[in-house]
Amino acid sequence: MTTDLTTLLDDVLRRNAGEPEFHQAAREVFDSLGPVIARNPRYAEAAVLERLCEPERQIIFRVPWTDDAGRVQINRGFRVEFNSALGPFKGGLRFHPTVTLGTVKFLGFEQIFKNALTGLPIGGGKGGSDFDPKGKSDAEVMRFCQSFMTELYRHLGEYTDVPAGDIGVGGREIGYLFGQYKRITNRYESGVLTGKGIGWGGSLVRTEATGFGAVVFADRMLSTRGRSFDGARVLVSGSGNVAIYAIQKVQQLGGTVVACSDSSGVVYDRDGLDLDLLREIKEQRRGRLSDYADARGTASDYRAGGDIWALAAETTIDVAIPCATQNELGGDAARTLASNGVAAVVEGANMPCTPEAVKVLTAAGVLFAPGKAANAGGVATSALEMQQNASRDAWSFDYAESRLAEIMVGIHDRCAETADEYGAPGDYVLGANIAGFTRVADAMIAMGVI
Ligand code: NDP
């Protein structure tokens, strides 16, 4: 990193004290940008990076609601509207007890570059709450969502800010949020939220998009080394939305996913996971992986509190796809994967690999795809949902999936070509950061100092 960039990063870290995940995301981007700033002095002259690191708007609000026992509960709501140079702010809402302003800022910052990489007209934002939907009744989740939207609605709009789901926010929550927005505004503004139900403005393939897209990206990346998913043995961490559809796409491409996880443990099915059973337990029953293992009997080995990546030392693994949460794959796990011959690690989640893990993997020659490129299929399909809403249209599954695949291949190739152009072939982190940055930076310069 040049001295100027180091000074700038120090300033960003100082101004955003106590937000380690945001620091981590910013540092990773700064690490990549030296060559592009050196080639294009106009970016420094227009203070593009300084402006990019300062969200356009940050909203923090109280969310009071009443639980089933009649007790008043208070949560904190966030929406960080980071950058709208390319389109309305776009990015999901996360409901999880660990959510802080720093979490939302890291996710929103990543989202700017991710959205730019899709080539679609969407800016970057993110939001959420420290509310924990786990163990809550539907009625409690509804009351929480209604209270959350009663404050947030004034900042949203199909041309302003368009949230979607993330951890803890799926179809049920989007339904309650949309219902309250519609009620307050007296407008059926479909384009204000994405991830809607298929019968009321949702897009086919949105549910599958992030997981499917990550595997399409991975497949394209593997092909650069003459490899594919056919016959590959794969680890997928998590067992939520992204994980489930990553598993499905790997299976469709001829691979075998032998393990997945949740925050309580790992299931290892040496001959491959039973996806229908997994979906029934996670999506319909909202159950745990321990329930899956109980139902599967001897075909499944459940390891309470286990580490999914350690399985690479026990059985052959070709590809690892972390799809749970940030910093879930550290240096030790990366060493286990690399020393046992894993060919590729593909981030389905946002920033699941620690900086040390990325260093270990890339030094060992393992193909590495950063989340901002590999998991962009979710937001890309959200933009396709907005497109369908705007034209009062609904596409077929096959058509929506073909658009998704085309976008993912495009993102892959843009990252790979940018890495080549900057003399770092195979460096998808550098390629993604520079390609995403350039698109946003050029738009910001065109629009003047705002
Ligand atoms: P879900 O809530 O559907 O699933 C999350 C999964 O990760 C669950 O299995 C959960 O287990 C596990 N998990 C969550 N937090 C932890 C933790 N602290 N430790 C261990 N496991 C954990 O979320 P999604 O699948 O939607 O999101 C997963 C990741 O993908 C996130 O990083 C998200 O930002 C990213 N992403 C999601 C997109 C989408 O379209 N949904 C788009 C792009 C990125 P448990 O049930 O035990 O909590």
Side-chain angles (χ1 to χ4, degrees):
M1 214 187 288
T2 62
T3 322
D4 286 353
L5 277 176
T6 306
T7 309
L8 191 53
L9 177 61
D10 286 346
D11 200 41
V12 170
L13 305 189
R14 185 185 53 75
R15 286 164 60 84
N16 299 277
E19 297 175 353
E21 293 158 333
F22 178 50
H23 294 182
Q24 186 181 332
R27 190 173 282 118
E28 188 232 78
V29 168
F30 274 66
D31 272 344
S32 298
L33 294 184
V36 71
I37 305 271
R39 269 195 210 179
N40 301 278
R42 66 180 188 283
Y43 295 145
E45 284 155 22
V48 169
L49 204 45
E50 289 89 328
R51 284 192 276 153
L52 255 178
C53 291
E54 189 66 24
E56 289 181 30
R57 190 173 297 108
Q58 306 184 55
I59 304 143
I60 305 180
F61 51 101
R62 181 172 67 198
V63 190
W65 57 283
T66 309
D67 67 19
D68 287 345
R71 282 186 301 259
V72 176
Q73 303 282 346
I74 306 293
N75 286 100
R76 190 172 287 175
F78 304 94
R79 186 74 184 163
V80 174
E81 299 183 332
F82 230 116
N83 192 291
S84 61
L86 297 178
F89 304 105
K90 182 90 198 84
L93 297 171
R94 175 175 294 189
F95 292 169
H96 194 274
T98 59
V99 167
T100 62
L101 179 62
T103 320
V104 177
K105 279 169 74 176
F106 121 63
L107 290 163
F109 187 68
E110 290 280 287
Q111 199 82 42
I112 303 171
F113 302 92
K114 181 189 307 195
N115 294 4
L117 281 171
T118 66
L120 297 166
I122 39 179
K126 199 83 188 187
S129 173
D130 57 0
F131 173 74
D132 187 0
K134 237 181 266 164
K136 305 286 190 302
S137 69
D138 284 354
E140 288 176 323
V141 171
M142 182 180 76
R143 287 194 293 275
F144 173 81
C145 288
Q146 289 177 340
S147 181
F148 185 87
M149 186 53 92
T150 301
E151 182 59 35
L152 189 63
Y153 87 95
R154 65 189 92 244
H155 302 287
L156 306 184
E158 64 179 313
Y159 297 108
T160 310
D161 186 350
V162 182
D166 190 78
I167 290 179
V169 178
R172 173 182 62 171
E173 290 75 16
I174 294 292
Y176 295 147
L177 291 164
F178 183 74
Q180 185 72 350
Y181 183 85
K182 183 174 81 65
R183 184 183 191 192
I184 294 174
T185 59
N186 193 30
R187 283 159 64 85
Y188 204 110
E189 191 184 336
S190 300
V192 74
L193 281 170
T194 57
K196 298 180 295 294
I198 297 306
W200 45 278
S203 173
L204 288 167
V205 187
R206 175 61 190 90
T207 305
E208 295 84 354
T210 308
F212 274 22
V215 175
V216 170
F217 188 102
D219 194 43
R220 182 85 171 169
M221 188 168 79
L222 286 170
S223 75
T224 65
R225 298 234 175 125
R227 299 186 63 149
S228 76
F229 276 104
D230 196 17
R233 287 170 65 80
V234 180
L235 298 176
V236 174
S237 67
S239 46
N241 171 265
V242 180
I244 284 177
Y245 294 98
I247 294 169
Q248 184 172 334
K249 185 52 82 182
V250 169
Q251 291 182 347
Q252 283 174 7
L253 295 180
T256 303
V257 181
V258 296
C260 68
S261 60
D262 62 17
S263 53
S264 311
V266 175
V267 285
Y268 170 42
D269 294 9
R270 75 187 66 245
D271 297 323
L273 297 170
D274 178 342
L275 183 60
D276 290 340
L277 178 64
L278 183 66
R279 286 188 57 184
E280 188 198 318
I281 285 175
K282 299 299 290 192
E283 295 183 334
Q284 284 158 35
R285 292 199 236 156
R286 292 183 186 276
R288 309 291 301 157
L289 276 185
S290 49
D291 303 323
Y292 166 91
D294 288 345
R296 192 102 159 95
T298 52
S300 193
D301 176 4
Y302 179 70
R303 300 175 182 192
D307 171 15
I308 187 167
W309 313 118
L311 285 168
E314 257 179 68
T315 182
T316 304
I317 298 297
D318 301 291
V319 182
I321 314 182
C323 296
T325 194
Q326 62 269 18
N327 293 325
E328 55 160 309
L329 195 163
D332 288 342
R335 275 180 280 277
T336 306
L337 295 170
S339 62
N340 286 286
V342 167
V345 175
V346 179
E347 293 190 327
N350 283 311
M351 210 167 74
C353 297
T354 65
E356 187 194 356
V358 177
K359 222 177 265 172
V360 169
L361 294 168
T362 46
V366 176
L367 285 166
F368 175 74
K372 61 170 75 80
N375 72 29
V379 75
T381 309
S382 277
L384 301 182
E385 181 175 330
M386 292 162 74
Q387 205 174 317
Q388 292 168 75
N389 295 150
S391 59
R392 305 275 188 267
D393 200 358
W395 302 345
S396 70
F397 191 96
D398 287 351
Y399 180 65
E401 193 181 5
S402 70
R403 290 288 305 269
L404 167 65
E406 190 185 4
I407 290 167
M408 293 315 298
V409 167
I411 295 173
H412 172 277
D413 292 358
R414 209 164 297 140
C415 294
E417 283 157 17
T418 306
D420 287 348
E421 187 190 330
Y422 281 85
D427 186 342
Y428 288 87
V429 174
L430 182 127
N433 284 334
I434 293 186
F437 171 79
T438 314
R439 187 161 175 247
V440 182
D442 290 345
M444 287 174 73
I445 289 180
M447 291 176 199
V449 180
I450 55 169

